[in-house]
Amino acid sequence: MEFAEAESDPGTTRPGGRTARVRASVLRAAADVLAEQGFAHLDLADIARRAEVGKTTVYRRWGTTTGLVADLLLDMAQQSVPRTETGSLLGDLRANTRLVQRTLADPRQGALFKAVIAAATCDPKAAEALQGFYSARVDAWAPCVEQAAARGEVPEGTDPHEVIRAASAPLYYRLLTTALPLDEDAADRAATAAAAAARAGAYVREA
Amino acid sequence: MEFAEAESDPGTTRPGGRTARVRASVLRAAADVLAEQGFAHLDLADIARRAEVGKTTVYRRWGTTTGLVADLLLDMAQQSVPRTETGSLLGDLRANTRLVQRTLADPRQGALFKAVIAAATCDPKAAEALQGFYSARVDAWAPCVEQAAARGEVPEGTDPHEVIRAASAPLYYRLLTTALPLDEDAADRAATAAAAAARAGAYVREA
């Protein structure tokens, strides 16, 4: 769902049996509550009612609200769109930052991301799940830096994960600490800066 | 207090009368609760008890927990250490990122920052106060980029605020989305990257 098209919701287009449909309904309800009200308002009984799923099923399968957030983040990572290959580091990073920007600028998705980040600040299991989500996203995009190194666009020894994180970081910082617009200019600037710093050797691993 | 020495607490060394002492005690108690338990556990009656201040005083002066967080952020901005001038953009940015890194890597301060960021995700008044805090910090450091432009280190038209935000962003992103160490290497890399991108013209304002 996340980093996918904004209108796509968990499970709406996915095949699967009853178990998959139950999971999709529950995760959609959880994402709704997180986006609309935040982590503090997440309640398993309420989620069961919204998802029209038995309370016992929800408690048995997810156990706690943290367990539910962790599963939502797993689903978000699995539903993420694959990376774009444009043939240049700047093009690839720009595709990445525009995807992040569109996701965070979407009111529902932006609110959902704020909510899971907030949950992670006060709950170690949610933090671990969030780290897993970002780790998967960074892993998925890291090859664009490896390819850029192979093409000679960036110095050998450039840390691909640092470059990918550097491209996203300004957009999250903008979302969380400013009221500035999260627009395409911000996305392009973040990509341009990460590419320029990478070319200049800022992300070469220490020997 | 924040972005100051980690051991300095609100009000401990500040002069002032009873009103100032009350404020210092209350803000210190609020920072303690935020760092130890998070925004969800902030409660004015509990703060009054911890600060050994009358409940009526706390309710009358701060009104709500959000009002208290807003005042804490104001105090944090006022207590922040002034910027360092080293004579080069890279030196100045490194002084900045090391200050941010030391603050966020300190267990109490890191937890406090996570808590106020989380509070800002779910409360518009806390968000406004947080934006005010970062705006003040970015304003305080922006002149280092203006000086670098005057020295010819970065292209004319470079947006000083974007450069300062770019230097901090990777440290916050690392704190919030990864379990990676927030060490001096991370601080220096963030400064090097922002300086390199600025030199390459990545932060030149569109005409």
Side-chain angles (χ1 to χ4, degrees), chain B residues 46-194:
Chain B
D46 171 50
I47 292 299
R49 195 182 44 72
R50 284 171 174 257
E52 299 179 358
V53 167
K55 219 161 67 169
T56 315
T57 305
V58 173
Y59 278 97
R60 199 173 48 219
R61 175 137 182 205
W62 287 278
T64 60
T65 52
T66 300
L68 187 52
V69 169
D71 195 37
L72 177 65
L73 282 159
L74 187 65
D75 185 68
M76 283 159 65
Q78 285 163 349
Q79 297 298 314
S80 289
V81 295
R83 87 176 164 100
T84 314
E85 296 195 41
T86 67
S88 80
L89 179 64
L90 180 58
D92 289 1
L93 290 179
R94 193 179 285 164
N96 181 342
T97 58
R98 285 192 179 182
L99 185 60
V100 173
Q101 176 258 322
R102 279 198 304 274
T103 303
L104 298 183
D106 176 75
R108 182 176 182 277
Q109 307 252 69
L112 176 55
F113 270 86
K114 283 183 177 180
V116 291
I117 289 169
T121 64
C122 60
D123 189 299
K125 278 195 181 161
E128 206 179 304
L130 189 76
Q131 289 155 13
F133 171 80
Y134 284 103
S135 178
R137 294 307 296 150
V138 171
D139 284 349
W141 282 84
C144 84
V145 183
E146 288 156 18
Q147 289 166 357
R151 286 190 301 261
E153 277 194 76
V154 298
E156 244 186 272
T158 295
D159 186 327
H161 294 78
E162 287 295 338
V163 177
I164 300 301
R165 280 194 290 267
S168 284
L171 301 174
Y172 282 90
Y173 188 72
R174 203 170 178 90
L175 176 75
L176 293 168
T177 75
T178 78
L180 298 168
L182 205 59
D183 53 18
E184 213 165 67
D185 281 354
D188 291 353
R189 189 165 49 237
T192 303

Side-chain angles (χ1 to χ4, degrees), chain A residues 2 18-19 23 29 63 67 97 166 179 201:
Chain A
E2 296 317 323
R18 199 185 109 72
T19 305
R23 183 178 181 227
T97 59

Side-chain angles (χ1 to χ4, degrees), chain A residues 114 117-118 121 130-131 134 162 165 168-170 172-174 176-180 185 189 192-193 196-197 200 202-203, chain B residues 114 117-118 121 130-131 134 162 165 168-170 172-174 176-180 185 189 192-193 196-197 200 202-203 206:
Chain A
K114 283 183 178 180
I117 289 168
T121 65
L130 190 75
Q131 289 154 12
Y134 284 103
E162 287 296 336
R165 280 194 291 266
S168 283
Y172 282 89
Y173 188 72
R174 203 171 180 89
L176 293 168
T177 75
T178 79
L180 299 168
D185 280 354
R189 190 165 48 238
T192 302
Y203 304 111
Chain B
K114 283 183 177 180
I117 289 169
T121 64
L130 189 76
Q131 289 155 13
Y134 284 103
E162 287 295 338
R165 280 194 290 267
S168 284
Y172 282 90
Y173 188 72
R174 203 170 178 90
L176 293 168
T177 75
T178 78
L180 298 168
D185 281 354
R189 189 165 49 237
T192 303
Y203 305 111
E206 298 300 314

